[in-house]
């Protein structure tokens, strides 16, 4: 059984082309955005915050799963805490998972991004991200990461 409509349903991006394509997908989101990125930096959040603001104003549920800030060194811990506070101020649900390193996004249960790029912190490393436009793949990825148990709950990471 072929779950893809065509080869164009799968595309590869590098660190140069990823954010333009990813932000286009974010702007098209209508229901939900899930991002897993173990690291969060203020530089990257400052670039993505306007997009997240628009998503929340449209009523799009945004969930971010990241590494617990206490697992980072002092500089990155502080950046992560400030970024989490900013995101939560927009109504973004932020979950913290201990010792994980996944990099992915699922948009409207229809588009799955997966690869080596830390979506919320990437700066100057060489990376690859796959974009798969497939409800079946997005469903499988969502099932694999097991975040659905938190999606309906009021899970909130307290940064104070």
């Amino acid at each position: 059984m072929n779950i893809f409509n065509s080869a164009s349903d799968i595309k590869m991006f590098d660190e140069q082309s990823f954010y333009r394509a990813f932000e286009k997908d974010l702007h098209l989101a209508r229901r939900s955005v899930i991002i897993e990125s173990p690291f969060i930096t203020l530089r990257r959040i400052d670039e993505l915050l306007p997009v997240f603001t628009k998503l929340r104003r449209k009523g799009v549920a945004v969930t971010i799963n990241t590494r617990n800030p206490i697992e980072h060194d002092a500089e990155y811990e502080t950046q992560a805490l400030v970024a989490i506070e900013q995101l939560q101020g927009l109504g973004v649900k932020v979950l913290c998972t201990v010792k994980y390193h996944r990099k992915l996004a699922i948009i409207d249960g229809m588009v799955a991004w997966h690869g080596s790029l830390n979506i919320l912190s990437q700066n100057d490393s060489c990376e690859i991200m796959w974009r798969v436009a497939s409800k079946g793949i997005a469903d499988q990825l969502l099932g694999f990461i097991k975040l659905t148990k938190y999606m309906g709950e009021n899970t909130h990471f307290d940064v104070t």
Side-chain angles (χ1 to χ4, degrees):
M1 178 175 97
N2 186 359
I3 61 173
F4 302 109
N5 295 325
S6 69
S8 65
D9 291 341
I10 305 171
K11 295 180 181 172
M12 189 184 315
F13 297 83
D14 65 11
E15 71 281 356
Q16 300 296 316
S17 59
F18 168 74
Y19 283 102
R20 186 174 325 129
F22 184 64
E23 286 185 31
K24 181 179 177 182
D25 279 349
L26 289 176
H27 287 294
L28 295 173
R30 296 291 173 249
R31 293 185 329 261
S32 65
V33 171
I34 299 167
I35 297 172
E36 287 202 331
S37 181
F39 300 96
I40 299 178
T41 62
L42 289 174
R43 176 185 170 277
R44 187 58 68 190
I45 287 298
D46 286 346
E47 292 176 8
L48 291 172
L49 217 52
V51 180
F52 293 142
T53 300
K54 288 178 184 176
L55 288 172
R56 293 301 301 137
R57 284 186 185 146
K58 290 192 315 186
V60 175
V62 179
T63 302
I64 292 174
N65 189 24
T66 189
R67 189 177 279 186
N68 192 317
I70 63 172
E71 293 183 32
H72 302 307
D73 64 29
E75 176 187 349
Y76 286 114
E77 178 182 4
T78 301
Q79 285 192 50
L81 288 169
V82 170
I84 288 168
E85 188 171 29
Q86 291 175 333
L87 291 163
Q88 288 177 332
L90 296 176
V92 171
K93 184 178 291 195
V94 180
L95 308 170
C96 293
T97 302
V98 175
K99 295 188 182 203
Y100 102 102
H101 204 69
R102 296 185 300 230
K103 298 113 179 170
L104 59 92
I106 303 168
I107 300 172
D108 285 344
M110 297 297 294
V111 175
W113 287 90
H114 184 266
S116 62
L117 189 145
N118 282 293
I119 296 170
L120 301 178
S121 69
Q122 195 279 334
N123 185 29
D124 63 0
S125 56
C126 295
E127 307 293 345
I128 293 174
M129 290 296 278
W130 289 89
R131 180 190 185 274
V132 182
S134 164
K135 181 174 177 8
I137 294 296
D139 285 347
Q140 285 182 42
L141 189 55
L142 186 57
F144 183 76
I145 64 175
K146 296 178 178 48
L147 283 185
T148 53
K149 62 184 173 184
Y150 301 107
M151 303 306 286
E153 297 175 12
N154 187 15
T155 305
H156 188 79
F157 182 74
D158 189 5
V159 296
T160 56

